[in-house]
Amino acid sequence: SNVWTMPLDPRTGLGTAPARRLALTPGDQPRVSPDGKWVAFAAYDSSDWSATQHLAIIGADGGAERVVARLKGGIWRIHWAPDGRTIYFVTGRSERPRGRLLRVSVAGGPVDTLGIEFEAGPSPGLSPDGRLLALIEDGSVSNYVVADARGVPVSRFSVGVPGQVGWVWSPAWNGARSLVGNGTYVKNAVRLVDIDNGASREIVPAEFQPEAPFWSPDGKSVATFATSHGRRVLLVVDATNGKRREFTAGVVQTCCVHGESQGLEWSPDGKSIAFQGEYREPLRVIELATGAVRQVGVRATLIGEYRWSSDSRALQYTATTSPLDVFRTIREATLDGNDRVLIDRLPNGAGTAGMRSDTTAVVSSDSGVFMISARTRGWTRLGPQFSPWVASNRQGTTFVMRVFRFRRLE
């Protein structure tokens, strides 16, 4: 596998230069630096996929590859610190089930091994200011440790019920010094955790059978689907005082976050929440101030991914008439009832095809990864092969991806 890059015009989604292989060394897991100027990736020491790896960085525009750290095992879960000066990553060996968290300066120097080991699972999370890390500890699906940048534990807490194993939800930062999580699948309370001392408090009791919690854009409220008086409802909880608001109108009873639904989506202005409707029905939007519910999108179609436009006035979503259809479309529906096709004839059997911004979409297929402009309908080929992973810098001007090369079996 190799790392490729292509510069794009964020206004049109069209390439400003041809796609090219960024590094000569085979590698994967590219991560763009916060300022968009560098790409860190796990480089292989030989062409054999079972080879050891080293951590390397290279300019987003190309140039000489620089080795940051050499190791005797594999590398995964690369994280840039928000200031772009430090990289955190995980290393391990096949015979060693527990991973080690390491830290290295981008400028070079010794690799620091942080004093925390953890089971393979959800990726370690960095707080928005880069000063704290959250990891699953002791192989448990519900026990977490929060450590400072040196790996020294600050607090420990549990967000699940011992003995109950199911889907694991990594804690979500609210942009301050709090985490929210609910450990495993239903029958677990949603808890808010104080990072300073590890103290936690219940904001949605277990009897509500809450699903996955989602922070509001301002980090002041938590939304989750739950069960109340035998009905599935939407709960919005004030993270400061624990006051709960319960919404019942329009909430689908037969769908949950662990099925085909992606859960729910807060609007960027925090005033509304969107979620899937009934089978072959439009999306539903609840206005939190009034509780009013509206349907958004076309009927008699299967809606897949969806996202809010940046102005909170519209939802962009993928749609198809049947899962067996050859093509799908990306549509945009405004809250006042207008609906239009942004991009049509996207291959339905390909990878993710969703809007990455208000104006561009990405589709990954066996013939390559493409960016599509909603304004011009022009296609820009980012890479020559299918890629399950595509990322961009914050400005949307540079994209990197992992590209697989398959060997044909005769």
Side-chain angles (χ1 to χ4, degrees), residues 123-175:
S123 181
L126 275 173
S127 63
D129 60 9
R131 297 178 180 179
L132 298 171
L133 306 102
L135 308 96
I136 289 181
E137 191 177 35
D138 299 331
S140 168
V141 298
S142 57
N143 295 330
Y144 291 84
V145 58
V146 175
D148 63 20
R150 299 167 298 166
V152 177
V154 174
S155 61
R156 287 179 166 86
F157 59 90
S158 175
V159 293
V161 177
Q164 291 188 339
V165 178
W167 285 271
V168 177
W169 293 94
S170 301
W173 299 93
N174 70 340

Side-chain angles (χ1 to χ4, degrees), residues 127-400:
S127 63
D129 60 9
R131 297 178 180 179
L132 298 171
L133 306 102
L135 308 96
I136 289 181
E137 191 177 35
D138 299 331
S140 168
V141 298
S142 57
N143 295 330
Y144 291 84
V145 58
V146 175
D148 63 20
R150 299 167 298 166
V152 177
V154 174
S155 61
R156 287 179 166 86
F157 59 90
S158 175
V159 293
V161 177
Q164 291 188 339
V165 178
W167 285 271
V168 177
W169 293 94
S170 301
W173 299 93
N174 70 340
R177 295 176 66 84
S178 298
L179 293 171
V180 68
N182 70 329
T184 59
Y185 186 56
V186 301
K187 298 183 181 178
N188 285 291
V190 175
R191 306 189 68 85
L192 191 66
V193 183
D194 188 328
I195 298 305
D196 288 323
N197 54 30
S200 65
R201 55 188 173 88
E202 191 175 86
I203 59 174
V204 183
E207 55 264 31
F208 280 87
Q209 299 183 9
E211 298 171 26
F214 295 83
W215 281 110
S216 61
D218 61 9
K220 295 180 179 180
S221 300
V222 176
T224 180
F225 288 112
T227 300
S228 176
H229 303 291
R231 289 184 56 82
R232 189 167 181 259
V233 300
L234 175 67
L235 294 181
V236 177
V237 187
D238 188 301
T240 301
N241 57 32
K243 183 178 180 181
R244 295 190 297 270
R245 288 183 292 160
E246 188 173 302
F247 298 87
T248 57
V251 176
V252 178
Q253 300 299 303
T254 58
C255 182
C256 68
V257 72
H258 306 291
E260 294 301 320
S261 169
Q262 66 186 61
L264 57 86
E265 286 284 337
W266 286 85
S267 61
D269 60 13
K271 296 180 180 180
S272 301
I273 290 176
F275 53 92
Q276 295 274 11
E278 297 284 2
Y279 184 70
R280 291 191 177 277
E281 285 195 357
L283 295 167
R284 298 183 181 181
V285 175
I286 290 182
E287 184 180 323
L288 298 179
T290 64
V293 180
R294 70 182 77 196
Q295 295 190 350
V296 177
V298 295
R299 293 181 176 274
T301 189
L302 298 176
I303 294 178
E305 295 180 296
Y306 59 93
R307 67 177 293 276
W308 285 92
S309 60
S310 58
D311 60 7
S312 299
R313 296 179 180 177
L315 285 157
Q316 296 157 344
Y317 62 95
T318 61
T320 184
T321 302
S322 166
L324 301 178
D325 287 347
V326 177
F327 298 104
R328 57 185 150 171
T329 61
I330 294 180
R331 308 181 69 97
E332 181 179 72
T334 60
L335 297 187
D336 58 10
N338 294 318
D339 192 282
R340 61 175 178 148
V341 173
L342 293 179
I343 301 170
D344 57 4
R345 297 184 66 79
L346 292 170
N348 203 24
T352 299
M355 302 295 291
R356 296 193 70 88
S357 70
D358 289 356
T359 58
T360 56
V362 64
V363 57
S364 186
S365 70
D366 57 3
S367 58
V369 179
F370 298 88
M371 289 295 297
I372 312 162
S373 169
R375 295 177 180 174
T376 66
R377 307 295 175 92
W379 295 66
T380 298
R381 194 183 192 197
L382 297 181
Q385 283 91 25
F386 174 86
S387 174
W389 191 92
V390 180
S392 65
N393 62 359
R394 294 177 180 176
Q395 295 77 28
T397 57
T398 302
F399 284 75
V400 295

